[in-house]
Amino acid sequence: MQFFPWAALVSLLASQSTNAFNFPFESHQLTESDFGNNSDIVFASSTASTNSSRCKNYPGDADWPSEEKWNSFNASLGGALIKGIPPAAACYNGTYYDADKCTMVKKMQMSTIFTTADPVIPNGQWQLGNPCPVPQSSVSPPLSACNLTSFPAYVVNATSVKNIQLGVNFARNNNIRLTIKNTGHDFLGRNTGGGALQIWTHPLKALEYLPEYEMGQYSGKAAKVASGLEQFELHQYMEKYNMTILAPGSTTVGAYGGFMGGGGFSTVLTSKLGLMADQVLSFEIVTADGKFLHADPEENEDLFWAVRGGGPGNWGVVTSLIVKAYDTLPISQGLIGFQTFPLFINSTSTVQVSEEAFWKGVSVYFSWLPEITSAQGVGWNTLSGFTFNGTKSFTFNGRVNLGGWQKRDAETFMTPMLKDLNAVGINLTSPTVQFYPTYPQQAYVPGGPGEGASNSRFGSHLFPRSTFADATSAQFNASMAAIRSFVEDGGYSFHSVDYTPTEDVAGWPGTNSAVSPHLRRAMMHATGYDVHDSGPQWTAQQQIESHARLNAYVDKWRAAAPGSGAYMNEADTQEPGFRESFYGGNYGRLLGIKERVDPWDVFYVVTGVGSDRWYSEGVKGLPTQQGRLCRV
Ligand SMILES: Cc1cc2nc3c(=O)[nH]c(=O)nc-3n(C[C@H](O)[C@H](O)[C@H](O)COP(=O)(O)OP(=O)(O)OC[C@H]3O[C@@H](n4cnc5c(N)ncnc54)[C@H](O)[C@@H]3O)c2cc1C
Ligand SMILES: *[C@@H]1O[C@H](CO)[C@@H](O)[C@H](O)[C@H]1NC(C)=O
Ligand SMILES: *[C@@H]1O[C@H](CO)[C@@H](O)[C@H](O)[C@H]1NC(C)=O
Ligand SMILES: *[C@@H]1O[C@H](CO)[C@@H](O)[C@H](O)[C@H]1NC(C)=O
Ligand SMILES: *[C@@H]1O[C@H](CO)[C@@H](O)[C@H](O)[C@H]1NC(C)=O
Ligand SMILES: *[C@@H]1O[C@H](CO)[C@@H](O)[C@H](O)[C@H]1NC(C)=O
Ligand SMILES: *[C@@H]1O[C@H](CO)[C@@H](O)[C@H](O)[C@H]1NC(C)=O
Ligand SMILES: *[C@@H]1O[C@H](CO)[C@@H](O)[C@H](O)[C@H]1NC(C)=O
Ligand SMILES: *[C@@H]1O[C@H](CO)[C@@H](O)[C@H](O)[C@H]1NC(C)=O
Ligand SMILES: *[C@@H]1O[C@H](CO)[C@@H](O)[C@H](O)[C@H]1NC(C)=O
Ligand SMILES: *[C@@H]1O[C@H](CO)[C@@H](O)[C@H](O)[C@H]1NC(C)=O
Ligand SMILES: *[C@@H]1O[C@H](CO)[C@@H](O)[C@H](O)[C@H]1NC(C)=O
């Protein structure tokens, strides 16, 4: 972690003007005196000068910048330009061969600490068509081609606002695809693209705690945060300053990149404190014209509205923000587990049950979501089936995350829920509650469980509050049946996080944002995973068929709760009707803002606002990002 000793000086400067930047790395900005004779790095002269050529420039194209141009660009960056070579290139004969590095890559490839620290590769690589797989002797035929063209061509190491501005200007002026990588966790492929110039925001690390902060209708604790911070770093700051701020559920996920841009739910606190986007009071951003702007409810209001929940990577590069902070609070976590096969551990929170009782128990747990969310809690669960000892078997793990609750109160809360489970044959006798005195203490350590780099497809759906309003209704029953079929017939794994980020919870200025209206009405964010990964051993045809099968099962969820959307950050990149499903009624206003602030489509991301004007060439029917980006 990188700390900035200048924080005191910066807060002095910040107090002098509402337009002031937050951190020292933001004081290094691009000015006209930096241009010299290099026309590649100048600001956009006017928004009228859009490039009407059909495709973005791609490596090998006649108009692709020469080595000299890249070198001058690198000089303007002070040497912060990195060539887009994936680490696995070390395993292939040629310029980048390096046996020791290859051994390290083979060992580390599944670690998100490794992929996050790499400037080039995203976490999952099916989104790029798996162009440079780590060779595996176990796979027949051995995978042995490394296609460098499919990765971002160059990466700007974003250590200052100036470098980000240079990157945006160079990409726009040369009509090159631009991508942003923060941690690389994105599931949809919004963080990568073949032949792109990539801005790598990972180095932007800083936090300053503001114990008393006033802005508009907000008065309370706050924090200035740099946009490259990850969950585990926030937990360290929370402990250091004895306060709470919202964070993602896994340690290496970034809090202020994709997580904030798509809404961002906490697996523990969202029914109590809202979404990540709801926490934001102001931010600093480099826009498509290369300018560095401040946005808050009264300045650049459209951008302020769009960036909070209107989709990541589509409006500019956010460099820092001011977010709400809170007192520390205890977390109680009620545990419920049941399975149809024998228990191998001595557990007070898990029991073996009949198959009939199992599915009744799943319904009972979900019938409790209105109570859980009314208590400002969040449901979290996994449900899957597999063959055990020749018999079809099922397992359910549920949690009731109660933010702000003491252990004794949580036990009291859980007791009637257990009675309901007992009534359907789930013999859980007394509540099991894990207690954490503070929010950061309930988290895993970096690289812990749930942190592996995955390469599989999935689908998702938001079930609205109305589904759960009456657990004897046809809508509730249909939803339970669709979930059961997904696991029992489909053979897939189910996971849901159940929360209610209503307008009331969002508060000021959260309510007035581009967060999807579907999220505001949701009670269950359901995700379903394919059993296979989409690795290089699968042909395009196999991947297409496998996805079609998965999608047919997700369609059952959509049919059970129609028109209630999906959460854009954890969704199928081929979600049908994504404009409505991801953005709800906000799409039209967002498109208007997009056309005004980025007429060049500098910030293209798949499934982003206005993205349907573009497609990736040569991707064999897959929704992958390695090809040349062209207009539809
Ligand atoms: C293990 C795991 C756990 C997760 N847990 C949660 C969870 O608890 N709650 C939840 O809501 N989601 C969760 N997610 C989903 C998560 O919100 C998305 O994967 C999100 O895209 C991650 O953002 P990132 O910045 O870390 O990743 P990246 O892949 O680096 O970036 C994702 C997108 O954000 C854009 N972006 C990144 N930084 C910036 C920036 N500074 N300015 C503008 N655009 C930027 C990129 O262009 C890209 O489009 C989880 C994902 C994983 C893999
Ligand atoms: C730009 O100026 C530098 C010296 O400042 C010179 O070396 C270079 O050739 C010039 N480039 C062009 C394209 O004129
Ligand atoms: C648009 O970009 C192409 C390369 O993709 C380039 O040849 C052309 O000169 C550009 N046009 C304008 C008007 O900038
Ligand atoms: C950019 O310059 C730095 C230092 O001058 C150098 O180390 C680096 O390799 C250069 N990057 C590229 C892509 O050439
Ligand atoms: C690399 O080259 C050597 C020698 O020509 C050859 O034996 C080996 O199979 C090659 N490896 C790969 C991964 O292509
Ligand atoms: C990015 O820049 C920082 C600061 O100059 C440097 O420490 C780091 O090594 C660079 N990262 C890469 C991958 O070049
Ligand atoms: C931390 O904050 C909590 C809640 O505001 C308070 O009760 C507690 O005393 C504080 N602890 C320390 C060590 O300051
Ligand atoms: C299971 O755990 C409980 C409580 O820790 C203990 O009393 C009991 O003896 C254990 N039973 C077995 C079979 O290990
Ligand atoms: C597996 O199945 C066999 C035959 O039905 C049974 O005898 C055995 O006890 C089972 N094993 C376990 C661990 O359940
Ligand atoms: C439920 O479990 C308890 C303790 O494990 C046991 O004493 C009781 O007999 C069980 N009840 C039923 C109905 O199985
Ligand atoms: C839903 O299922 C429950 C439990 O099986 C049943 O009692 C109820 O009648 C069903 N509701 C409808 C509308 O079919
Ligand atoms: C590498 O990938 C690019 C983008 O998909 C494709 O155009 C090119 O043909 C590939 N090259 C090889 C050698 O497969």
Side-chain angles (χ1 to χ4, degrees):
M1 226 196 331
Q2 208 176 331
F3 286 96
F4 288 85
W6 310 275
L9 173 64
V10 176
S11 64
L12 189 72
L13 291 172
S15 66
Q16 288 166 5
S17 155
T18 52
N19 289 340
F21 49 82
N22 289 325
F23 293 112
F25 68 79
E26 294 172 312
S27 71
H28 305 147
Q29 296 171 20
L30 184 64
T31 62
E32 297 198 356
S33 63
D34 296 312
F35 297 157
N37 61 5
N38 191 347
S39 61
D40 286 335
I41 59 173
V42 302
F43 293 116
S45 51
S46 90
T47 52
S49 60
T50 58
N51 192 311
S52 59
S53 65
R54 197 178 70 84
C55 298
K56 300 256 183 182
N57 249 324
Y58 197 74
D61 287 354
D63 289 324
W64 184 254
S66 62
E67 279 296 311
E68 292 77 51
K69 278 192 167 212
W70 284 109
N71 287 337
S72 317
F73 176 48
N74 193 12
S76 73
L77 289 163
L81 190 68
I82 300 164
K83 216 166 178 347
I85 308 301
C91 300
Y92 292 86
N93 285 336
T95 319
Y96 304 103
Y97 182 77
D98 180 336
D100 290 345
K101 187 172 176 193
C102 178
T103 305
M104 186 272 289
V105 172
K106 282 181 173 166
K107 202 169 104 202
M108 296 299 290
Q109 58 170 325
M110 293 312 291
S111 156
T112 61
I113 295 188
F114 172 72
T115 50
T116 298
D118 186 87
V120 181
I121 56 167
N123 225 303
Q125 289 185 40
W126 73 258
Q127 293 93 338
L128 285 169
N130 301 299
C132 187
V134 178
Q136 291 167 5
S137 50
S138 56
V139 175
S140 169
L143 306 162
S144 62
C146 176
N147 187 343
L148 297 178
T149 316
S150 302
F151 290 90
Y154 290 92
V155 180
V156 172
N157 188 356
T159 50
S160 67
V161 159
K162 178 180 171 180
N163 284 355
I164 296 170
Q165 293 177 292
L166 284 165
V168 169
N169 285 349
F170 188 87
R172 188 194 59 249
N173 291 332
N174 286 290
N175 193 31
I176 291 172
R177 180 172 185 177
L178 186 86
T179 54
I180 305 167
K181 180 188 173 184
N182 179 27
T183 68
H185 268 300
D186 195 60
F187 291 111
L188 292 86
R190 296 177 299 190
N191 55 5
T192 193
L197 175 60
Q198 180 151 287
I199 311 271
W200 187 45
T201 60
H202 180 67
L204 303 179
K205 306 278 192 196
L207 183 145
E208 188 193 347
Y209 178 48
L210 308 168
E212 290 170 20
Y213 188 73
E214 308 245 339
M215 191 190 130
Q217 298 171 29
Y218 185 76
S219 171
K221 296 176 163 56
K224 289 179 184 179
V225 291
S227 61
L229 290 171
E230 295 157 62
Q231 186 238 43
F232 76 94
E233 293 165 317
L234 295 179
H235 286 164
Q236 291 168 358
Y237 281 115
M238 287 186 233
E239 295 196 320
K240 179 173 175 189
Y241 295 117
N242 192 36
M243 53 99 179
T244 303
I245 43 182
L246 207 77
S250 292
T251 56
T252 56
V253 176
Y256 307 115
F259 179 74
M260 185 280 292
F265 66 84
S266 158
T267 51
V268 178
L269 294 175
T270 277
S271 304
K272 186 178 178 64
L273 303 178
L275 299 165
M276 186 64 240
D278 299 336
Q279 313 302 313
V280 178
L281 297 167
S282 67
F283 58 78
E284 318 299 308
I285 187 169
V286 175
T287 45
D289 54 7
K291 299 284 164 55
F292 183 52
L293 302 180
H294 170 87
D296 68 27
E298 291 180 348
E299 193 174 337
N300 294 307
E301 301 96 303
D302 273 0
L303 215 44
F304 186 66
W305 182 81
V307 165
R308 293 173 304 136
N314 214 39
W315 312 99
V317 183
V318 176
T319 58
S320 76
L321 315 85
I322 296 184
V323 297
K324 295 179 182 178
Y326 308 88
D327 283 349
T328 55
L329 77 184
I331 307 290
S332 288
Q333 194 169 69
L335 303 181
I336 287 166
F338 43 89
Q339 59 190 41
T340 62
F341 53 97
L343 252 63
F344 300 109
I345 48 158
N346 181 10
S347 166
T348 56
S349 61
T350 305
V351 287
Q352 184 180 1
V353 300
S354 71
E355 198 173 316
E356 195 195 345
F358 181 89
W359 292 108
K360 285 183 176 167
V362 169
S363 289
V364 166
Y365 172 88
F366 288 125
S367 76
W368 264 79
L369 295 188
E371 261 100 338
I372 293 169
T373 52
S374 297
Q376 301 191 317
V378 176
W380 184 102
N381 50 79
T382 60
L383 164 59
S384 55
F386 59 98
T387 302
F388 172 77
N389 199 17
T391 315
K392 211 169 186 184
S393 304
F394 300 96
T395 174
F396 178 84
N397 276 292
R399 291 185 199 158
V400 178
N401 293 329
L402 295 166
W405 284 62
Q406 297 297 338
K407 184 172 189 181
R408 184 80 42 93
D409 298 333
E411 284 168 354
T412 305
F413 179 88
M414 296 296 293
T415 301
M417 184 173 176
L418 297 190
K419 292 236 153 59
D420 285 1
L421 287 165
N422 295 161
V424 298
I426 312 268
N427 189 17
L428 286 165
T429 48
S430 60
T432 304
V433 173
Q434 280 177 354
F435 179 75
Y436 306 93
T438 67
Y439 176 48
Q441 288 178 37
Q442 56 80 41
Y444 298 125
V445 293
E451 293 297 299
S454 84
N455 207 30
S456 59
R457 298 289 304 265
F458 69 96
S460 72
H461 190 63
L462 290 169
F463 289 82
R465 291 200 294 278
S466 59
T467 296
F468 304 93
D470 174 3
T472 64
S473 69
Q475 193 186 347
F476 180 82
N477 288 358
S479 298
M480 292 302 113
I483 290 168
R484 177 172 179 171
S485 173
F486 187 82
V487 174
E488 194 172 38
D489 309 328
Y492 300 114
S493 292
F494 175 89
H495 168 49
S496 86
V497 190
D498 317 306
Y499 47 76
T500 47
T502 59
E503 301 255 324
D504 275 356
V505 174
W508 185 91
T511 311
N512 188 13
S513 76
V515 163
S516 166
H518 294 309
L519 270 171
R520 297 276 179 234
R521 287 193 286 267
M523 187 167 276
M524 176 197 276
H525 160 54
T527 49
Y529 299 86
D530 200 343
V531 283
H532 306 298
D533 75 3
S534 296
Q537 66 275 31
W538 301 93
T539 65
Q541 196 50 38
Q542 284 170 323
Q543 289 188 53
I544 289 166
E545 282 162 15
S546 177
H547 173 261
R549 183 177 183 278
L550 174 73
N551 187 54
Y553 280 97
V554 179
D555 271 343
K556 297 188 182 202
W557 301 355
R558 298 179 183 124
S564 54
Y567 172 46
M568 69 169 86
N569 278 0
E570 296 188 335
D572 188 350
T573 196
Q574 289 177 296
E575 167 77 13
F578 80 86
R579 290 181 297 190
E580 211 295 312
S581 187
F582 290 172
Y583 301 90
N586 291 336
Y587 195 84
R589 178 173 171 196
L590 284 166
L591 189 61
I593 297 172
K594 176 73 177 173
E595 282 166 357
R596 194 167 55 71
V597 301
D598 184 12
W600 312 272
D601 278 343
V602 171
F603 294 104
Y604 163 87
V605 294
V606 64
T607 72
V609 169
S611 62
D612 45 358
R613 295 192 283 243
W614 298 88
Y615 74 101
S616 230
E617 269 190 350
V619 295
K620 302 182 189 142
L622 291 167
T624 51
Q625 300 302 318
Q626 70 270 37
R628 182 189 279 103
L629 194 64
C630 294
R631 285 177 208 277
V632 172

